[in-house]
Amino acid sequence: MTTAAGPAVTAAIDAWLDVAGTPGGVVESLIRALGALDVSLRPHDGGPRNGVLAFDTPAPAVADRLRTVSRDRPGRVLAVSTSGRALGADSWALLRAGASDACTWRDGDATATRHVAERLRRWQAIDELLACCHVRDFLVGDSPAWQATLRDAVEVARFTGASVLITGESGTGKERVAQLIHELDPRPGKKKLVVLDCSTVVPSLSGSEFFGHEKGAFTGAAAARAGAFELADGGTLFLDEVGELPAPLQAELLRVIQEGTFKRVGSNLWRKSSFRLVCATNRDLTSAREAGAFRDDFYYRIAECPLHLPSLRDRTEDIIPLFRHFFRQARPDAGPPELEDAVRELLVRRSYPGNVRDLRSLVLRIVHRHLGNGVVTVGDVPDHEWPDPDTPAPAGCPGCGAPRG
């Protein structure tokens, strides 16, 4: 498989700095060392999203400070021990307290200084991609669960060539994340995204679907045909519903996924294809592997980077923004819709077994009934969507309407 390396980035980096026990002279040395690598550290008083918490040795006070700064800011925290001693198992405690990474630094250690600088540089590059209009409009949502998932997707797309396995319930946006991974892949001369729905592959024709065939290879093969692997050469192959592939077919796909070589059905000629592989499934592949229905060797080849998409019930803060997004898509002539309180409460309390796809379907039904550019009222809601009158309404958040507790 191909390897995609991220482009070299030398832009200046801004990050905040907080201190927990590190002597002032050491802090000044850290600031100077990073400044020489175009990393500007400023006081922890707003501005940059990501930053550094410098501390001498791990202690309960350091963990408490990490919890505070990670809770109060939207970005990520790099915990830097300035003692010069290895952190060992204390690294895990720092991550649990809210750090996104932890390392040791000492004055004059150029390798450690570069590590700090490159970590902050990577985080800023990811944040800039997440903030671009295309990403924000393509995959709507600012909830912590959704943003954490998107950060992982952006990083693996932009800075690696790894195969990606996207899991999650139906309707969570797996195909759109696959499209984003393809778009952000920085390979020069990158070709198209090829989509193959594995749930629609007829077993008797699976070889043709994946490998292609030569004319006359079997009854009905009136002309030669390129399969999915060949079509994806130079681009990205997205295997949707990969969990539906039977185990024997998984074995047949191993060589081309690992080595990029295959034969068309009815041919003795080996062909090569270089593509990025992205797969998706709503199945529990761990259980399938334990049951022997999904091969371990196939799983590890397609899941170099696993991404799990949260359900809509795990990101209720995004329901109203998604409603407005889908409403504007359906009514581009109208402004952002205002919602009557009862409608807002219904939206955030409703169950969405089909997740984002389910919400979009509800929005379209409401759009068909909505008149003009006014407030969306209860009369715009189809009667079969009305809430159960016997279910008491909980107190909701005044900001987004999401139920409390």
Side-chain angles (χ1 to χ4, degrees), residues 324-334 360 363-364 367-368:
R324 292 195 167 106
H325 173 74
F326 292 136
F327 196 101
R328 287 195 299 270
Q329 281 188 331
R331 291 278 305 276
D333 58 314
R360 182 176 183 275
V363 173
L364 294 179
V367 166
H368 295 330

Side-chain angles (χ1 to χ4, degrees), residues 125-147:
I126 293 169
D127 288 342
E128 289 171 354
L129 288 169
L130 284 172
C132 77
C133 294
H134 173 68
V135 174
R136 293 188 64 81
D137 289 343
F138 194 68
L139 290 163
V140 175
D142 288 319
S143 65
W146 187 238
Q147 284 295 302

